[in-house]
Amino acid sequence: MKKWNRSVKVALAVATTAGLVIGVLSPATAATRSTVVIIDSNAFTSLNPSHNEHNLVLNSNVAYMSGIGFNYYDDKPVLVENKTFGSYKIVSKSPFKVKYTVNKGRIWSDGTPITGVDLLLTHVVSSDQYSIDAGLGDPASEDKEPAFDSGGYSGTYNTLIKNITLAPDRMSVVIEWKKFFPDWEVFAPGVSPVHALVAMAEGKTKLGTNANNVANKNKFLRAFLSKDTDMLRKIGKVWSNSYNVTEVNEKTNPLLLVVNGAMQVESIVKNQRVTLKLNPNYNSGPETSGIEKIVYVTIPDSTAAAQALANKEADYYSALATADSVALLNKIKGITLDGTPEATYEHVEIRSGSAPGGKEYTGPFAGMSQKAKDLRTAALLAWPRQEIIDKIVKPVNSKAVVMNSLQYFPTEPNYGKMIAANELDKFTDGTQAQRTAKALALVKKYYPDAKAGSNSVKIEVLYNTSARRASQAALAKAELSEAGFQVNLNPKSNWGALLTDSTYDVAFYAWGKSALLQTGNFSSYKSADSDSGYLNAKVDEIIGELELGNYNDDQRYSRYLAIEKLMAEDAVSLPIFLWPTLTAVNSDLKNVRPGPLVPNGLWNFWEWTY
Amino acid sequence: MFAFIMRRLGTLGVILFGSSFLLFNLAALSGDPVGELRASNEPDAEARIAAITRSLRLDLPPPVRYFIWLRGILGVFVGKFDLGQTRTSEPVAVAVFDAIPTTLRLVTTAAITAIVLGIAIGIITALRQYSRFDYSMTFFSFLLFSLPIFWVAVLLKQFMAIEFNNWLAEPTIPPTAMITIGLILGLIVAAAIGGDRKKYWRVFFITAAGTVVTLVLMLQLNWFLQPSLGPLGFFAASVGAALLITQLSVGLQHKPSLRAALCMSVLGLVSYYPVNWLFNKENQPLVIFGLLLLTIASAIAASIFFAKIDRGPVVRTAVLTGILTGLLMILDKLMRTWEPYFNTDAVNGRPVPTVGQTNSLLESDDYWISLLDVAMHLVLPTIALTAISFAGYIRFSRGTMLEVLNQDYIRTARAKGLNERTVIMRHAFRNTMIPMTTIIVVDFASILGGAIITERVFGWTGMGTLFNTAINSFDLNLLMGVFFLTASLALVANLVADLLYSVMDPRIRVGAGA
C-alpha cells in the first residue's frame, strides 16, 4: 500500500515536471497576428453604400473590401486596371463604345460564376431614363423616391451614357456613350450579385444551389431586357431596404453577404463593430498577404482613438489632422505616423458677380472692370497665406508649403512646372509686408485716403464655424486691415448654402475630390455653376473643351495653364494649402501606403501583412 | 389624489408640446442638412440635394414639418405611434430602444456605486462632523465634482489602462511606492474610523503595515497575474460581510441574527467546491439564478432554525449575507478567470481596455471569460462616472443627516436610552432617506438621457451618442425621438417623486385642498 502511494507520487512529480518543461520550451508567442482593427468615427448603417442615404465612408470602405471591379485608384494616384477580374477596351470611336469583359472562372463567395449579367444592374441604378421606362419612378421627381433609391441617378452616367448591351457570350457588356467622354474609365460598371437579389426578391433566406443561382441570373436578365416592372420593383425593394442592416449574426440572411471581394462580412454588432473575414472563394482581384480578419470599430472621439492605439486595442486610425491629434499620436510608441495629404485643399474665393439665379451682386469686387480687378488683387495680395501655413498648418505637417496652383497639388509632378508659369507668383513675391504695401497702393488708386486701419473698403467674409477656420479668419482680418479693408467676419454653420448668397464678398473653404477627372478642379468655375459668380467666356470655353475633348497629358496641361493664367489675371480665386490626413498604424503592420483619393489608406489592404 | 394626478398629467402634456415645438424649430434652424453637398463640386451633388430635400421634406417650413412629426406622435391614440425614421432610414423607435440597454449598462453600476458610496460617506461625515475625515472628504468630493469627465477619462485611461497594462508585463512595485501607498491608505482609514489620538495612530500603523505586507505577499504569490480569493480568503470575506450586515441591521448583540448570518458564511464555505464545479457547466445564467433561489431558501431555513420569535429582521440579515456571499463567490470565480482571459489572443496580455463595450476580437464560448470582458470594459467608465457624481450624494446625505440628528425625536430616542446604533440606523437613517429617495428617482430618469461626454470618450453608443449624432447630422426625427423619451421620463419621474414623498412621509399629502 505504501509502495503504491509512493509510485503515485513519483508519477505525479514526473508529470508535473514534464508539464513545466513543455511550458518553458514552447515559444511564448507562437502565431503571428492575422487581424487588423481599424478605427472609424461612425457607426455602420448599410451594406449598400450606393443607397442615397447610406453614402457613408465606413459603409463604402466595407464595400470596398468586400467587392472589387474593373479598376481602383492606387497611392500615386493612378487608376489601376484589375486584370485578374477582367478587361476593358474602346471598341468604337464613333459612336463611342467601350467593351467590358469579365474573365472566365471568376466566382462569387457562394460559388456562382460571375458573368456580364452581373454588370447590368449599374444601368438600372444610374440611368434615369431606364428607371422611367421600366416604370420604376422618375428619380428626378420632387416627391417620390424611385424603386431603386440610388445616389447614382441624375449624374454623369445618366447624362452621357446612352445604353448598355450584353454581348452574346454573356461575359461582356458594351457601353455606348452619347459622345466621347475623356473620363470614361472612371465609369466602369460595377458588379452586383443579381442572383442573390432575385432570390431575396422571391423571399428566399438561404443560399441557393448552383442551378438555382444560374436560373435566378437568367430571371434577372429577362426582367432587365423586358423592363419587367413587377420583378424589378421587387428587386428594387431588396436593393433599397434589405441591405440596410446594422446587425449581422447567424440569423442574417446569407444572401445579403454574397460578395466577390477579398473580405466578407462575418458579423456586425450594432453601433460597435463590423468584422470581416477572408472570402474563401475570392479570385476576383490581387491576392491577399496573410491578414485573415479585419474589424472596424466605432470610436467617435479622437483622443479615445489615440489612446486605444496606445493600448494596442486597435492597429489603424486615420483622421483629419489637428495640432492636438498630431501631438498626441507623436507620443505613442509602436505606431507609424503618415501625413499623406488628401485630395482636399483650402482656397479663398472672391465674388465677382452673382451666382446663377442669385440676387444681383453690387459689392466692391463686382464685375470685370479694372477697379474691381485691382481691389480683388489687393485682397488676395494681403491674404496672409504664408502666415496661415506657418501658424496653422505647420504644427500638423512640418513640410507644408503655400499651394500656388489651382489644378496641381504640391505633391504632383507637374506642380513645379505649373507654378513657374501660371502667374500666381505675384501673390507670393516678396514678404507679406511688401505684398500688403502693394495691396494698399492698389486700394489707394480708388480710395485716396486709404491707409492701414482706414476701413476704406468694407467686405463680408464667409466661412465655416470651426476653430481652424476662426484662426485663419482672424489672421486674414488683421492683415487685410493693414491694406485698408474693413473685414466683417461671418462664421456660419450653414455656410455651404450661403456660398451663392451675394451678401458675402469673400468665402474661404475646402474642396475635395474623389476621382481624377479631365476637368480637373475647374468645373466649379464654369459661369453656369460658379457660386461666386465668376464669368469669363474664355475660361468657360476651355472648360467646355476639357469636358469632352480627347487629350493627351500635354494638351491637358496647356489647357490647365491657360485657365490658371486667366484666373490669376481676374484675381478671383487663390489656393492656400493642402490639408493632410493623418494615418497612424501599428508599426508591425507592413505595406500600408495611404493615397490621396478615397479609400485613402485602405486601397491596398490585400498587401497588408505583419 | 386622482384629481392631482390628472392635473399633473395635463400640465405634462402642455410642457411636452411646448418644449418639443421649441426644440424642433430651433434645431431645424440651426443648420443645413445638405450644407456639405452644396459645397461639393462632385457632378451628382445637385441630384443628391434633391433626393435629401425630398426625403426630409425640406421644401416645407420647420413649423409645418413639426406638425408632420407631431401627427406621428399623436398616432398613439389610434394605435399607430410613429417616431419617424432617422436619416439612415432606420425607425427612430428602434434606434432609441437599441440604445437604452447600452446606456443602462454603462450608467447603472456607476449610479448604484455612487449612491451607496455617497450616502455611506455622507452619513459617516455627518456623524464625525468637523473631523479631519469630514474636512478631507468634503475637499475630496468637491475636487472630484469639479473635474471635467473627459479629462478624468483621459487620465484614467493613461494610468489605469495603458500604464497598468505595460506594468503587468513585469509586475514589480519598488519599496518606496509600497510604503507611500501604505501611508496614504493608513491616513484615510484612520481618519474614517476616528477616536482618540492613541487609537488614531494605532489604526494608522496597523493599516499601513498591513497594506505593505499584503502588497509584498501579492507580488510574491504572483497575485496580479493569477488573482483569486481561495476558499479561505472567501470565507474570511464572507464572515466579514456577515458581521457588517448584522451590525448595521440589528446589532451584533442580537444572537439569532448573528448565528443565522454566520451560518450562511459557513454554508458558503461548505458549498465552495460544489458551486465552482457548477460554474463550469453549460447555461450559466440559469445556474446562477438557481443558486440565487437556493441561497434565499437556505437563508430563510437558517433563520427559521435560529430564531423562534420575531423572524423578520433575522430573515433580512441572513438573505443579505447569503447574497453578498454569493457575489463574493462570483468575484472569486471572475478572479480565477483573469489568467485565461489575460492569455487569450484577443487580450494578449493587456486586460484593461480603454474603449468600447466588448473586445472586438474576443471569440469565446466561455461564459466567465465573456462576463469578465464585459466587466473589464465597464471598469474605467464606472470609475469616472462614480467619481464625478458621488460628491452630490455625499453633500446631500450629510446635510440631511445633520438636520435629522438635530430633531426632537432623535433627542427623545437617546433619552429613552436606546443605543447609538439603533438611534442612527433606525431613527436617523430612515428619515434621511426620505428626501434622498426623491432625488434618486429623478436622477434615474435623467440617467436614461445618457451621458453624452462619457459615452463619447469611452466609445459607447447609448442615448447620449444618439443625441449627439442627431444634432451633428441635423437628424430631426432622431433628435426629437431622444428628446421625447427623456423629457417624458423626466416629467413622469418628477410626478412619481412627488407621489413617493407622500407615501413615505405621512406628514405630506398631495392634492390636499385641491
Side-chain angles (χ1 to χ4, degrees):
Chain A
M1 199 65 193
K2 236 177 185 176
K3 200 157 190 187
W4 187 76
N5 263 346
R6 196 184 208 166
S7 59
V8 171
K9 276 181 196 159
V10 170
L12 272 176
V14 169
T16 319
T17 320
L20 273 175
V21 169
I22 290 167
V24 171
L25 286 184
S26 52
T29 48
T32 35
R33 279 197 74 187
S34 59
T35 51
V36 179
V37 179
I38 301 177
I39 298 173
D40 196 285
S41 58
N42 286 303
F44 185 83
T45 65
S46 172
L47 292 163
N48 180 6
S50 310
H51 190 287
N52 226 334
E53 287 158 4
H54 296 277
N55 183 6
L56 203 71
V57 176
L58 175 58
N59 297 348
S60 307
N61 286 346
V62 169
Y64 180 79
M65 289 187 169
S66 51
I68 188 160
F70 287 101
N71 49 34
Y72 54 85
Y73 279 111
D74 70 3
D75 55 333
K76 288 194 189 55
V78 166
L79 197 65
V80 181
E81 192 175 343
N82 174 17
K83 296 212 167 95
T84 319
F85 177 73
S87 56
Y88 48 87
K89 59 172 191 283
I90 298 173
V91 287
S92 155
K93 283 265 161 78
S94 174
F96 183 58
K97 284 184 180 175
V98 185
K99 183 176 185 183
Y100 294 86
T101 308
V102 180
N103 290 344
K104 285 221 161 58
R106 304 307 103 191
I107 53 172
W108 292 102
S109 56
D110 63 351
T112 311
I114 302 175
T115 67
V117 180
D118 295 318
L119 302 175
L120 296 173
L121 193 73
T122 306
H123 194 67
V124 180
V125 299
S126 309
S127 165
D128 292 25
Q129 195 57 48
Y130 186 90
S131 182
I132 295 167
D133 290 350
L136 305 175
D138 179 3
S141 137
E142 286 285 314
D143 47 69
K144 209 164 171 305
E145 281 143 17
F148 289 83
D149 196 0
S150 159
Y153 287 123
S154 312
T156 310
Y157 187 101
N158 176 56
T159 324
L160 292 173
I161 288 181
K162 193 169 169 193
N163 210 352
I164 187 167
T165 42
L166 187 66
D169 68 348
R170 292 201 175 173
M171 289 309 279
S172 318
V173 294
V174 175
I175 287 187
E176 184 181 345
W177 294 71
K178 289 177 186 156
K179 48 191 168 184
F180 175 79
F181 182 64
D183 302 307
W184 60 270
E185 237 186 308
V186 178
F187 289 87
V191 277
S192 315
V194 292
H195 62 282
L197 279 162
V198 170
M200 284 186 279
E202 291 177 341
K204 300 279 189 318
T205 53
K206 285 196 179 70
L207 293 179
T209 62
N210 221 357
N212 278 343
N213 293 334
V214 172
N216 282 336
K217 203 168 266 200
N218 289 333
K219 273 188 204 161
F220 173 78
L221 181 60
R222 273 200 299 280
F224 174 80
L225 293 175
S226 64
K227 301 197 171 81
D228 176 348
T229 309
D230 279 352
M231 187 66 194
L232 288 173
R233 271 195 180 275
K234 271 194 238 160
I235 297 174
K237 211 170 163 193
V238 172
W239 194 92
S240 306
N241 301 324
S242 304
Y243 281 97
N244 306 335
V245 290
T246 51
E247 189 98 48
V248 167
N249 48 37
E250 61 277 9
K251 282 180 234 139
T252 305
N253 188 344
L255 288 163
L256 287 172
L257 308 177
V258 175
V259 292
N260 78 328
M263 309 301 288
Q264 186 180 18
V265 170
E266 180 183 55
S267 68
I268 298 177
V269 181
K270 185 173 181 182
N271 292 333
Q272 293 184 43
R273 62 174 162 268
V274 179
T275 306
L276 297 143
K277 58 162 196 220
L278 273 183
N279 166 4
N281 287 331
Y282 170 63
N283 66 356
S284 292
E287 275 180 41
T288 53
S289 317
I291 300 299
E292 284 165 11
K293 191 166 270 191
I294 293 179
V295 184
Y296 285 91
V297 292
T298 300
I299 304 178
D301 186 69
S302 60
T303 313
Q307 288 191 307
L309 277 178
N311 200 27
K312 309 248 184 293
E313 286 169 77
D315 306 298
Y316 182 105
Y317 172 57
S318 176
L320 214 58
T322 66
D324 290 347
S325 65
V326 173
L328 198 62
L329 291 169
N330 265 326
K331 274 190 245 156
I332 300 174
K333 290 190 197 82
I335 64 164
T336 311
L337 267 189
D338 180 305
T340 308
E342 63 176 327
T344 300
Y345 66 101
E346 192 93 339
H347 60 118
V348 48
E349 293 292 309
I350 301 197
R351 179 171 297 288
S352 52
S354 52
K359 178 173 65 132
E360 187 171 345
Y361 174 60
T362 53
F365 301 131
M368 288 293 158
S369 64
Q370 192 58 42
K371 177 185 172 188
K373 274 187 195 174
D374 281 346
L375 288 178
R376 289 200 295 265
T377 311
L380 291 181
L381 276 170
W383 204 271
R385 292 196 294 164
Q386 189 60 49
E387 197 183 358
I388 289 171
I389 306 284
D390 291 343
K391 292 196 172 149
I392 298 169
V393 191
K394 284 254 173 86
V396 175
N397 176 11
S398 54
K399 289 174 277 181
V401 291
V402 170
M403 181 170 157
N404 216 27
S405 159
L406 287 162
Q407 168 57 25
Y408 294 113
F409 299 152
T411 47
E412 289 180 273
N414 276 338
Y415 179 75
K417 197 162 86 169
M418 176 62 89
I419 61 166
N422 67 2
E423 290 169 17
L424 280 175
D425 53 3
K426 65 179 165 191
F427 298 112
T428 49
D429 279 347
T431 64
Q432 186 59 52
Q434 288 166 342
R435 288 193 291 273
T436 308
K438 271 190 226 164
L440 182 59
L442 282 173
V443 175
K444 262 200 167 129
K445 271 165 71 180
Y446 308 98
Y447 301 89
D449 50 354
K451 58 179 193 297
S454 66
N455 294 341
S456 310
V457 190
K458 291 191 176 60
I459 57 172
E460 303 288 332
V461 175
L462 173 72
Y463 54 97
N464 192 4
T465 50
S466 75
R468 164 154 65 92
R469 276 4 186 293
S471 17
Q472 283 184 61
L475 292 177
K477 179 175 176 148
E479 196 62 37
L480 261 73
S481 125
E482 295 290 308
F485 286 95
Q486 180 189 346
V487 177
N488 286 332
L489 301 181
N490 300 281
K492 302 277 184 190
S493 60
N494 60 338
W495 61 278
L498 299 174
L499 285 175
T500 52
D501 189 330
S502 297
T503 316
Y504 306 103
D505 305 294
V506 178
F508 66 94
Y509 54 99
W511 261 342
K513 59 178 171 184
S514 55
L516 298 178
L517 302 179
Q518 186 167 281
T519 46
N521 300 337
F522 298 113
S523 58
S524 305
Y525 293 111
K526 224 165 55 161
S527 56
D529 292 332
S530 173
D531 287 340
S532 54
Y534 182 48
L535 196 162
N536 183 326
K538 193 84 185 80
V539 171
D540 275 358
E541 188 192 320
I542 306 175
I543 295 173
E545 286 172 19
L546 284 169
E547 276 172 353
L548 297 171
N550 186 3
Y551 301 126
N552 62 26
D553 285 353
D554 287 343
Q555 289 167 323
R556 256 178 241 140
Y557 173 80
S558 63
R559 281 172 178 77
Y560 295 150
L561 179 62
I563 300 184
E564 291 218 10
K565 276 187 176 170
L566 288 165
M567 289 182 57
E569 164 68 25
D570 291 337
V572 287
S573 178
L574 205 52
I576 309 177
F577 55 80
L578 205 53
W579 196 251
T581 302
L582 211 58
T583 307
V585 185
N586 179 349
S587 305
D588 296 335
L589 185 64
K590 308 214 169 51
N591 293 342
V592 179
R593 301 200 308 274
L597 293 179
V598 172
N600 305 89
L602 309 176
W603 75 269
N604 66 337
F605 71 93
W606 50 75
E607 290 176 8
W608 292 357
T609 179
Y610 278 102
Chain B
M1 185 80 164
F2 180 72
F4 171 79
I5 294 178
M6 287 322 286
R7 206 171 59 226
R8 285 290 296 265
L9 283 176
T11 335
L12 195 148
V14 174
I15 295 177
L16 268 183
F17 173 76
S19 54
S20 60
F21 184 77
L22 256 180
L23 182 74
F24 189 97
N25 287 291
L26 286 176
L29 294 174
S30 73
D32 180 5
V34 292
E36 232 168 85
L37 284 170
R38 285 192 216 270
S40 156
N41 58 0
E42 304 269 326
D44 65 344
E46 285 294 316
R48 295 194 35 216
I49 290 176
I52 292 174
T53 307
R54 183 173 60 205
S55 65
L56 298 184
R57 304 303 305 269
L58 294 181
D59 48 332
L60 300 173
V64 179
R65 277 187 280 149
Y66 171 78
F67 285 101
I68 296 180
W69 176 80
L70 190 66
R71 193 173 59 192
I73 297 290
L74 293 179
V76 72
F77 294 113
V78 291
K80 271 200 318 188
F81 186 65
D82 182 17
L83 285 167
Q85 289 197 330
T86 67
R87 284 189 66 182
T88 52
S89 53
E90 185 185 20
V92 169
V94 173
V96 169
F97 284 103
D98 280 351
I100 290 176
T102 309
T103 296
L104 282 181
R105 194 201 270 188
L106 175 70
V107 290
T108 311
T109 328
I112 293 172
T113 322
I115 290 169
V116 171
L117 258 183
I119 292 179
I121 296 179
I123 285 173
I124 297 175
T125 49
L127 297 177
R128 309 226 187 298
Q129 197 186 8
Y130 303 139
S131 66
R132 267 179 304 249
F133 182 69
D134 185 18
Y135 284 128
S136 47
M137 270 301 144
T138 306
F139 171 77
F140 193 59
S141 62
F142 272 108
L143 181 73
L144 291 176
F145 193 58
S146 57
L147 296 181
I149 188 150
F150 57 86
W151 188 73
V152 173
V154 168
L155 291 189
L156 279 177
K157 288 178 181 187
Q158 186 61 36
F159 294 108
M160 295 191 63
I162 300 170
E163 301 284 339
F164 181 71
N165 286 336
N166 291 342
W167 178 79
L168 276 182
E170 209 179 323
T172 51
I173 307 177
T176 44
M178 249 187 239
I179 292 171
T180 318
I181 297 172
L183 292 180
I184 292 173
L185 266 179
L187 276 176
I188 295 174
V189 174
I193 288 185
D196 60 14
R197 186 152 293 230
K198 207 170 145 196
K199 186 178 175 193
Y200 179 86
W201 287 112
R202 200 168 58 219
V203 173
F204 172 77
F205 279 117
I206 291 174
T207 316
T211 309
V212 173
V213 170
T214 316
L215 283 176
V216 170
L217 272 177
M218 282 167 116
L219 285 178
Q220 288 303 315
L221 296 172
N222 205 12
W223 197 84
F224 289 102
L225 298 180
Q226 299 164 320
S228 75
L229 292 175
L232 287 183
F234 159 74
F235 183 61
S238 169
V239 169
L243 294 178
L244 182 72
I245 288 174
T246 316
Q247 166 66 3
L248 289 181
S249 80
V250 285
L252 286 175
Q253 74 283 6
H254 192 267
K255 292 300 173 218
S257 287
L258 186 61
R259 283 185 194 129
L262 286 176
C263 173
M264 291 313 292
S265 297
V266 173
L267 273 180
L269 181 65
V270 170
S271 61
Y272 181 82
Y273 286 103
V275 167
N276 271 296
W277 176 76
L278 275 177
F279 276 164
N280 292 327
K281 296 284 157 207
E282 300 270 297
N283 209 348
Q284 279 303 309
L286 205 68
V287 169
I288 292 173
F289 185 68
L291 285 174
L292 175 72
L293 291 183
L294 204 67
T295 311
I296 293 174
S298 52
I300 293 172
S303 355
I304 290 173
F305 180 76
F306 284 109
K308 300 295 172 238
I309 47 159
D310 192 18
R311 281 171 177 148
V314 184
V315 171
R316 190 178 63 204
T317 314
V319 167
L320 277 177
T321 311
I323 289 175
L324 261 186
T325 304
L327 287 177
L328 280 170
M329 207 173 269
I330 288 176
L331 180 70
D332 178 60
K333 174 66 186 168
L334 281 177
M335 281 177 157
R336 282 181 293 109
T337 314
W338 177 266
E339 199 189 358
Y341 177 70
F342 188 89
N343 290 328
T344 52
D345 280 348
V347 175
N348 201 10
R350 301 189 71 85
V352 187
T354 61
V355 78
Q357 297 173 45
T358 49
N359 190 308
S360 54
L361 297 171
L362 189 70
E363 284 168 355
S364 176
D365 294 333
D366 188 287
Y367 175 79
W368 294 98
I369 288 187
S370 313
L371 187 67
L372 183 62
D373 186 50
V374 169
M376 290 315 293
H377 281 83
L378 268 173
V379 169
L380 294 188
T382 303
I383 295 178
L385 276 175
T386 310
I388 58 157
S389 63
F390 86 138
Y393 291 109
I394 295 186
R395 302 308 297 162
F396 199 81
S397 61
R398 179 179 179 274
T400 319
M401 186 74 176
L402 283 175
E403 198 185 311
V404 171
L405 282 177
N406 285 328
Q407 295 290 323
D408 289 345
Y409 55 79
I410 298 292
R411 196 182 314 140
T412 313
R414 289 208 169 110
K416 279 197 296 191
L418 293 180
N419 65 22
E420 191 63 11
R421 196 205 64 77
T422 314
V423 174
I424 302 294
M425 289 307 292
R426 195 167 300 167
H427 294 257
F429 177 68
R430 287 189 183 183
N431 280 302
T432 308
M433 286 313 288
I434 295 175
M436 289 304 294
T437 313
T438 61
I439 290 197
I440 291 169
V441 171
V442 176
D443 270 6
F444 256 104
S446 60
I447 272 174
L448 264 187
I452 297 181
I453 301 172
T454 316
E455 281 178 21
R456 188 177 164 86
V457 293
F458 287 104
W460 287 55
T461 313
M463 297 291 283
T465 310
L466 278 196
F467 194 71
N468 201 12
T469 316
I471 289 177
N472 286 327
S473 60
F474 307 110
D475 195 335
L476 281 184
N477 280 343
L478 185 56
L479 181 73
M480 295 310 289
V482 175
F483 165 81
F484 188 72
L485 181 83
T486 50
S488 319
L489 270 176
L491 292 170
V492 170
N494 267 304
L495 177 61
V496 170
D498 285 355
L499 296 178
L500 261 183
Y501 217 101
S502 76
V503 171
M504 288 192 307
D505 191 342
R507 287 168 299 187
I508 294 169
R509 196 165 301 158
V510 292

